[in-house]
């Protein structure tokens, strides 16, 4: 028997029951489609985050407040209040850092003319631009005197500018934050997003003004700084300085006991890597389950098909088909089913990945890159073949073992 | 050397404790070119005998030599090869693939052979021509009448150029007129030199054979030459 005959015979058998064949492969289509979609989104997200991190440089160090209580879970810079501008002075004196800038965040109501909406307000100082470079469309950024003098001035994002002032240059205009009037001194060029924050919808004001006049607090959410020398050494040295100035009794240097948390971009990259691996594992197991379920569906239908075609199998044996040929025919049928299912799954998965990627780029993160991993397609083809072989072998053996006489007599 | 040489062949079916003795020692020779009818009442073992002779079933006792080869010593694959090369089957229930065309059905035995595409096409064309079904070659087999189906089945049995054609009650599902046409067709093939072994319980059908074997209770009851064999030569 020619191998091409095996394929034609198998293909003919499958096309004879088209709608059933299509329903049978649905499980595989969904399984493979899900794999492609998940890998695409996963790799897209990883690339996106890593490129953000890389843009900022690996020597950035963040100092955030922490609870100092090892039982309270991961630190949340928006709950704890233990980091203040005094810590920033300590950082400057230590000589471990070249640029230092504080950040305090809040979402407040903003109004100008007849418009009123909530926006992210960021309090920082004049060094911010050295850490997070950005171009100005109009005016200037905050300067030292603004910060020292509690000035009521604001630098606004491009979308905020368009929302409140249209196309005109808003420098010199008034904008009200929580009913306190601020003077617009600058407008950023379009920046897109960073760490899932839309920078274009953000308003930046002096950290001092924000603490005293808007929030009435003396803490800040975090400090960003550029380390001088080895990042790991700087972090460790600074931790001891902080423990000293915060009077923390922590001779072992256990970070869980500190009321602050020092991390770097590198740590973030590592965390992202771990999270990525866990996610990949999770999604892979879901995909594996759906493929097993799909495979069992195929096995089921192939068993039904063998029973239904008992007479056909008997006839084929009577005209000279060997055990091996019958076995191969049915095995090829199930592999063809899973392969076609895999192919449709790849196409559907890629199409949906593009769609999702397009939506993300269009509405959420303009710097997102759509990735259709080519190795995933090879993997899908391999996996669907294996599923077809594994779940096809039992029905195929049943078919091949039929005795021609019994098969021909089967009613 | 005879084509078929059976000595004391028996076949027992064992089902748990119960042993059914379908054949109880059958001895016979069939030469190439004979047209043999196997007759007998239901349960006489005539189908079992034919299945054993056609390598669809295996005997449990005695000795069966086909064309000088001891069938008991052949592997399952070798038996499959014999079915493919040496024999063709015509069944009472036609056993055509319903959603396949006449040509595809006739091609079926060749699919398991090693002929090239062109040779296959020629064989199929010749076989379809031999049963006068060229006008139906691309019809689906479930669009055919009973007589036409059986003619296609005969063409299928012919397509691999077998030494022997086995027909198991070939007229059983047909009316008298179409049944006669099939018998004429078989007689015509016999005249062209084909060896034919036909199981039937109809005396009229057996009249077409050159030799009639009668079985009863798994044993050969009689073996007679048919002196007044109906001369075939199938004509429309």
């Amino acid at each position: 028997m020619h191998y091409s005959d095996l394929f034609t015979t198998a293909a003919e058998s499958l096309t004879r029951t088209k709608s059933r064949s299509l329903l049978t492969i649905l499980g595989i289509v969904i399984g493979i489609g899900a794999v492609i979609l998940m890998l695409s989104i996963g790799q897209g997200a990883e690339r996106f985050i890593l490129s953000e991190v890389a843009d900022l440089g690996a020597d950035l160090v963040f100092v955030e407040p922490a609870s100092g209580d090892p039982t309270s879970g991961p630190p949340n810079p928006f709950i704890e209040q233990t980091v203040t501008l005094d810590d920033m002075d300590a950082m400057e004196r230590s000589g471990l850092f070249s640029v230092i800038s504080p950040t305090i965040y809040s979402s407040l109501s903003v109004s100008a003319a007849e418009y009123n909406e909530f926006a992210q307000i960021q309090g920082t100082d004049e060094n911010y631009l050295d850490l997070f470079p950005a171009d100005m469309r109009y005016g200037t950024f905050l300067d030292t005197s603004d910060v020292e003098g509690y000035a009521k001035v604001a630098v606004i994002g491009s979308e905020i500018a368009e929302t409140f002032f249209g196309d005109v240059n808003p420098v010199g205009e008034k904008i009200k934050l929580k009913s306190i009037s601020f003077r617009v001194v600058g407008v950023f060029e379009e920046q897109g997003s960073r760490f899932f924050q839309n920078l274009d919808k953000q308003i930046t004001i002096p950290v001092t003004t924000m603490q005293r006049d808007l929030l009435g607090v003396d803490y800040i959410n975090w400090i960003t700084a550029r380390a001088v020398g080895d990042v790991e050494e700087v972090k460790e040295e600074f931790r001891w300085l902080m423990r000293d100035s915060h009077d923390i009794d922590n001779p072992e240097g256990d970070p869980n006991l500190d009321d602050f948390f020092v991390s770097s971009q590198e740590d973030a990259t590592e965390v992202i890597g771990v999270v990525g691996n866990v996610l990949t594992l999770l999604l892979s197991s879901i995909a594996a389950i759906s493929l097993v379920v799909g495979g069992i569906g195929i096995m089921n239908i192939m068993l039904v098909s063998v029973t239904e075609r008992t007479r056909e199998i008997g006839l084929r044996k009577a005209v000279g088909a060997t055990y091996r040929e019958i076995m191969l025919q049915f095995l090829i049928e199930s592999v063809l089913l899973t392969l076609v299912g895999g192919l449709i799954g790849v196409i559907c998965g890629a199409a949906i990945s593009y769609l999702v990627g397009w939506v993300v780029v269009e509405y959420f993160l303009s710097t997102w890159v759509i990735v259709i991993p080519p190795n995933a397609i090879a993997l899908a083809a391999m996996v669907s073949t294996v599923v077809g072989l594994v779940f096809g072998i039992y029905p195929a053996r049943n078919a091949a073992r039929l005795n021609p006489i019994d098969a021909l007599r089967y009613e | 050397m005879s084509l078929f040489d059976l000595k004391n062949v028996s076949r027992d079916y064992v089902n748990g404790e119960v042993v059914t003795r379908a054949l109880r020692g059958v001895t016979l020779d069939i030469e190439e070119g004979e047209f043999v009818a196997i007759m007998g009442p239901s349960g006489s073992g005539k189908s079992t005998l034919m299945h054993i002779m056609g390598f669809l079933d295996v005997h449990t006792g005695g000795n069966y030599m086909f064309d000088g080869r001891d069938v008991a010593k052949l592997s399952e694959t070798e038996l499959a090869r014999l079915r493919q090369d040496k024999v063709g089957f015509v069944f009472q229930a036609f056993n055509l693939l319903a959603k396949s065309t006449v040509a595809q059905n006739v091609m079926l035995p060749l699919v398991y052979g090693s002929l090239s595409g062109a040779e296959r096409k020629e064989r199929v064309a010749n076989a379809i021509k031999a049963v006068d079904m060229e006008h139906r070659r691309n019809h689906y087999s479930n669009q055919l009448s009973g007589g036409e189906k059986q003619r296609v089945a005969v063409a299928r049995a012919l397509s691999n150029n077998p030494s022997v054609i086995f027909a198991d009650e070939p007229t059983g599902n047909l009316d008298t007129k179409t049944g006669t046409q099939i018998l004429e067709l078989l007689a015509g093939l016999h005249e062209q030199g084909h060896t034919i072994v036909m199981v039937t319980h109809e005396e009229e059908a057996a009249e077409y054979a050159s030799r009639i074997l009668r079985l009863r209770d798994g044993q050969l009851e009689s073996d007679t030459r048919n002196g007044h064999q109906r001369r075939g030569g199938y004509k429309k």
Side-chain angles (χ1 to χ4, degrees), chain B residues 89 97 108-109 112 114 117 144 161 177 188 192 196 201 208 224 232:
Chain B
F89 283 96
L97 299 178
L108 191 65
Y112 298 100
S114 53
L144 304 177
N161 238 343
K177 189 175 160 235
Q192 288 164 27
I196 296 171
H201 60 266
Y208 284 85
T224 52

Side-chain angles (χ1 to χ4, degrees), chain A residues 36-331:
Chain A
I36 300 287
L37 181 62
M38 286 162 181
L39 285 174
S40 164
I41 292 175
Q43 294 201 3
E46 203 173 314
R47 251 188 225 200
F48 173 77
I49 293 168
L50 290 180
S51 78
E52 296 248 301
V53 170
D55 281 351
L56 296 176
D59 55 354
L60 279 196
V61 171
F62 301 92
V63 178
E64 297 162 55
S67 64
D69 174 4
T71 61
S72 73
N76 186 330
F78 295 103
I79 291 176
E80 309 302 337
Q81 310 182 346
T82 49
V83 171
T84 63
L85 290 177
D86 292 341
D87 295 318
M88 224 179 92
D89 296 337
M91 287 172 86
E92 261 165 44
R93 283 195 305 273
S94 74
L96 294 167
F97 306 96
S98 56
V99 189
I100 306 161
S101 177
T103 301
I104 180 163
Y105 251 115
S106 190
S107 183
L108 296 174
S109 83
V110 180
S111 57
E114 68 268 37
Y115 299 107
N116 189 344
E117 70 173 53
F118 273 83
Q120 284 288 334
I121 316 296
Q122 171 183 239
T124 185
D125 67 6
E126 69 281 5
N127 295 322
Y128 173 83
L129 273 196
D130 291 336
L131 293 168
F132 305 106
D135 294 328
M136 304 301 296
R137 182 176 292 172
Y138 300 117
T140 56
F141 193 66
L142 309 173
D143 63 26
T144 316
S145 61
D146 292 332
V147 179
E148 284 173 354
Y150 296 83
K152 295 190 177 58
V153 292
V155 178
I156 61 181
S158 57
E159 272 185 55
I160 293 280
E162 276 150 33
T163 309
F164 287 99
F165 304 104
D167 288 336
V168 297
N169 179 352
V171 170
E173 298 287 337
K174 295 286 179 203
I175 190 165
K176 274 188 172 174
L177 308 181
K178 248 176 98 180
S179 70
I180 297 170
S181 202
F182 281 72
R183 182 169 50 89
V184 176
V185 293
V187 179
F188 283 117
E189 280 291 354
E190 203 178 307
Q191 297 181 79
S193 54
R194 181 167 63 231
F195 298 140
F196 305 102
Q197 292 277 3
N198 187 345
L199 300 178
D200 299 328
K201 282 188 168 172
Q202 210 166 266
I203 296 177
T204 308
I205 61 173
V207 61
T208 46
T209 320
M210 180 132 171
Q211 280 184 320
R212 193 187 70 180
D213 300 329
L214 286 186
L215 300 177
V217 298
D218 61 359
Y219 62 84
I220 49 180
N221 293 127
W222 67 80
I223 303 167
T224 315
R226 200 174 288 285
V228 177
D230 184 83
V231 177
E232 288 305 308
E233 280 172 21
V234 166
K235 273 159 57 185
E236 193 53 26
E237 202 170 323
F238 181 65
R239 280 192 193 109
W240 288 107
L241 283 175
M242 283 287 276
R243 281 169 200 142
D244 202 33
S245 68
H246 283 207
D247 286 328
I248 295 165
D249 180 27
N250 186 4
E252 303 286 316
D254 177 4
N256 286 325
L257 297 174
D258 296 338
D259 65 355
F260 60 91
F261 180 72
V262 181
S263 66
S264 65
Q265 287 278 61
E266 237 170 52
D267 299 336
T269 317
E270 269 169 39
V271 169
I272 290 161
V274 171
V275 170
N277 286 344
V278 169
L279 266 183
T280 306
L281 200 70
L282 186 80
L283 299 179
S284 312
S285 36
I286 292 171
I289 290 168
S290 67
L291 284 173
V292 167
V293 172
I296 291 171
I298 297 241
M299 179 159 71
N300 240 325
I301 291 298
M302 289 307 293
L303 283 173
V304 171
S305 171
V306 167
T307 310
E308 277 179 353
R309 286 154 67 193
T310 300
R311 283 172 75 91
E312 178 198 323
I313 295 161
L315 176 69
R316 287 182 185 278
K317 286 202 141 185
V319 299
T322 58
Y323 180 96
R324 193 172 151 269
E325 284 162 343
I326 296 290
M327 173 106 181
L328 277 176
Q329 183 193 328
F330 279 86
L331 212 49

Side-chain angles (χ1 to χ4, degrees), chain B residues 222-235:
Chain B
S222 70
D223 178 355
T224 52
R225 300 281 153 187
N226 185 7
H228 46 95
Q229 183 190 4
R230 291 268 290 270
R231 282 295 162 187
Y234 171 67
K235 287 172 194 71

Side-chain angles (χ1 to χ4, degrees), chain A residues 1-2 5 9 12 16 311-312 315-323 325-326 329 400 403-405 408-409, chain B residues 51 56 76-77 80-81 83-84 89 91 93 95 97 99-100 104 108-109 111-115 120 156:
Chain A
M1 184 170 205
H2 305 290
D5 291 326
T9 308
E12 274 169 11
R16 252 179 246 142
R311 283 172 75 91
E312 178 198 323
L315 176 69
R316 287 182 185 278
K317 286 202 141 185
V319 299
T322 58
Y323 180 96
E325 284 162 343
I326 296 290
Q329 183 193 328
N403 177 337
I405 285 295
L408 279 170
R409 282 192 186 138
Chain B
H51 291 150
L56 293 176
E76 203 188 326
T77 308
R81 293 283 167 247
R83 291 198 289 270
Q84 184 190 293
F89 283 96
F91 301 98
N95 284 332
L97 299 178
K99 287 175 184 168
S100 301
Q104 283 172 329
L108 191 65
V111 165
Y112 298 100
S114 53
L115 292 179
R120 281 184 195 178
R156 182 181 63 198

Side-chain angles (χ1 to χ4, degrees), chain B residues 26-88:
Chain B
V26 172
T27 300
L28 65 91
D29 290 88
I30 295 173
E31 301 295 329
E32 214 165 337
E34 286 194 82
F35 184 169
V36 178
I38 303 176
M39 299 197 67
S42 332
S44 61
K46 56 187 191 298
S47 287
T48 304
L49 178 61
M50 195 193 88
H51 291 150
I52 288 172
M53 287 168 72
F55 319 110
L56 293 176
D57 200 354
V58 278
H59 55 290
T60 50
N63 186 25
Y64 169 25
M65 306 286 283
F66 174 82
D67 209 9
R69 298 170 77 182
D70 187 348
V71 174
K73 290 187 177 142
L74 299 177
S75 70
E76 203 188 326
T77 308
E78 285 170 316
L79 288 176
R81 293 283 167 247
L82 275 184
R83 291 198 289 270
Q84 184 190 293
D85 296 336
K86 300 292 183 186
V87 301

